[in-house]
Structure formats: structure tokens, C-alpha cells
Amino acid sequence: IEGTTTPISFVADVLFPYARANARAHLAATYHTQQTREDVALLRAQINKDLAEGVPGVVPLPPSNATDQDKVIDALVANVQAMIDADRKLTALKQLQGRVWRRGFESGEMKGEVYDDVVQALAEWDTKGIKSYIYSSGSREAQRLIFGNTADHGDLRRYLSAFFDTNVGGKKESRSYYEIWQTLGVDSPSQILFLTDVYQEATAARDAGQQQSNYSHHPLPCLISLFYITDRTQHFVQITSTPSLKSSQ
């Protein structure tokens, strides 16, 4: 999403600050719900892992049976804000951010931003029977919110068949792309086209067995179709003219 379908500035200047500013209010309002208890348990596991690994700036949490809710929330917020500031791609963080962002999208405080050419390409691919999917370090909930509540194009989820997040693995890990291929159920990985503006993600997808072509038209030998976006002034709609997309998802 970030830098590929959506301006980096929207993520850095809108989404992250909103989550940072509203994490406390969300935790306080929902602390005793089952969903937030699960979110807190996931954060606690990550924080304990960070403490064991000596990650700088980690704040220990009071024990899980602590009765002072405010102290637990204070420690959670301190850790969440540090994770956001470090732009860490953690499932525990992204899950909580998605919950917080939902409040913003549902209240109308936020609207998603998607490049115009992305919308044009999604619509064109849809008419050709080409399925589109999102794979992001942001939670699936956050992905649905961004594409379901855009400022200029309304609900774009009609063009999207499924959403993947770091529950399938990190975006720089080859195994993640293998898992996505298996989930989509296509016969050959060459039927999948992956688009990214991050080189390490491109090489991970390539190593998973994808045939890769570069958005700047420099082919790389692999098995799954891939465009590595080196210049965002090039439009998504240009991709529809490439032979590799004719049988791609």
C-alpha cells in the first residue's frame, strides 16, 4: 500500500499520527472487551520478546493480573508509540493500529487515499476478469478501511478479492509469498503478478519462485511475475499492456 497504491505521506502524516494520538483513548474505552484483551496479550508477548532481545526503549508491563488499569495502559501506550516512531512492522502493533483507525474512519475523521491510476487499473483489471489482492504489513482490517473509505473514489473493495497481512509472514520473507501462492490456489506461481516499491520485497517474492520483471523494464530471471516500482510517475495502467498480466492474478 504505502508508496505503491497510496502516498507515503498519507501513512506517515495521517495514519501513524492518528494511531499515536488515539491509542490511549481506544485502550481505555475498550480495555475490558474480549477483542482488546486479545490485542493486549499479543502486545505483551511482543514486548516480552523485545525485552529479552534488549530492544532499546521498551517499557516493561505490569503483570497480567495487575489491578491498576491505568498503569497497564500507560506502559502499553509508551511501547506502542515507540513502535510507531520506529516504524516497526509488527503484527501486534498493526493489529492495534487497525482497531484505532477504525474509530477514525467510522467517525469520518479520516478518509483513505489511493492514486487515481491505481483505481483506473483496478477497474480495468476487474473488467478483464483479473483478480486483485492486497498484501501489506498493515492489518487486514486496516487495509479494508483504507480501500473501503477513500476520499475521492468511495469504496474500492469491489475490485479486491482478498487481503493478506503479516499473519502469512513478513513482506521481506520468501516464505510469505509461497504461502500466498498456495492460498490463491493457482496452478503456477507465474499466474501471479506482485507489485511493490521495496526492493527487498521484490527479491523475496522472486526467491519464492516468481518470474520478475522490473517496472523500469529490466527483466530478472525468476518464476512469478513481478513489477518493482522504481518510478511512481509511471502509471499502473501501463502494466495492463504487458504480456505477463494476461494470465496473472
Side-chain angles (χ1 to χ4, degrees):
I1 295 178
E2 182 180 0
T4 301
T5 67
T6 297
I8 293 174
S9 59
F10 174 70
V11 178
D13 301 336
V14 178
L15 290 181
F16 285 0
Y18 187 90
R20 199 180 193 286
N22 291 277
R24 181 184 300 277
H26 168 77
L27 288 168
T30 64
Y31 190 78
H32 293 292
T33 66
Q34 181 62 31
Q35 185 179 78
T36 296
R37 283 199 295 267
E38 293 172 358
D39 292 344
V40 169
L42 200 59
L43 282 166
R44 182 181 292 278
Q46 182 62 55
I47 291 165
N48 288 340
K49 180 174 182 289
D50 289 347
L51 286 168
E53 295 176 354
V55 175
V58 181
V59 178
L61 295 183
S64 56
N65 60 354
T67 57
D68 193 330
Q69 173 181 314
D70 290 337
K71 287 186 177 180
V72 176
I73 291 176
D74 286 345
L76 285 168
V77 170
N79 283 289
V80 166
Q81 291 180 341
M83 291 173 182
I84 292 173
D85 293 345
D87 192 18
R88 299 184 67 189
K89 311 299 186 183
L90 304 171
T91 300
L93 171 64
K94 298 302 181 179
Q95 184 163 295
L96 181 70
Q97 283 179 321
R99 314 288 195 212
V100 177
W101 290 333
R102 175 169 292 281
R103 296 165 66 94
F105 280 106
E106 289 181 344
S107 69
E109 293 178 78
M110 293 194 300
K111 292 288 185 181
E113 291 186 28
V114 176
Y115 290 119
D116 292 340
D117 64 294
V118 172
V119 179
Q120 183 181 349
L122 289 174
E124 184 172 328
W125 296 341
D126 185 60
T127 62
K128 294 179 178 180
I130 299 169
K131 295 180 180 180
S132 298
Y133 305 85
I134 301 296
Y135 174 35
S136 174
S137 58
S139 68
R140 289 179 298 173
E141 179 174 19
Q143 297 171 37
R144 289 193 294 266
L145 290 168
I146 292 170
F147 287 96
N149 300 275
T150 70
D152 298 326
H153 306 287
D155 190 346
L156 298 176
R157 291 174 298 177
R158 63 189 181 276
Y159 299 131
L160 300 170
S161 297
F163 301 88
F164 296 93
D165 59 18
T166 52
N167 281 300
V168 301
K171 294 183 71 181
K172 298 177 183 179
E173 300 171 8
S174 296
R175 180 71 186 180
S176 306
Y177 300 91
Y178 176 84
E179 291 296 333
I180 290 174
W181 166 37
Q182 293 297 301
T183 300
L184 296 185
V186 294
D187 294 330
S188 168
S190 63
Q191 294 175 269
I192 302 170
L193 175 71
F194 176 60
L195 295 95
T196 181
D197 66 329
V198 178
Y199 182 74
Q200 294 90 337
E201 295 174 6
T203 56
R206 177 196 62 194
D207 294 343
Q210 300 190 9
Q211 175 189 337
Q212 176 175 349
S213 296
N214 187 288
Y215 203 167
S216 295
H217 310 297
H218 303 300
L220 297 175
C222 0
L223 296 176
I224 290 180
S225 303
L226 189 146
F227 278 81
Y228 169 46
I229 302 171
T230 57
D231 182 359
R232 196 54 190 77
T233 62
Q234 294 176 294
H235 287 184
F236 263 45
V237 289
Q238 293 176 285
I239 301 170
T240 60
S241 64
T242 64
S244 63
L245 189 58
K246 292 179 180 178
S247 63
S248 299
Q249 294 201 39

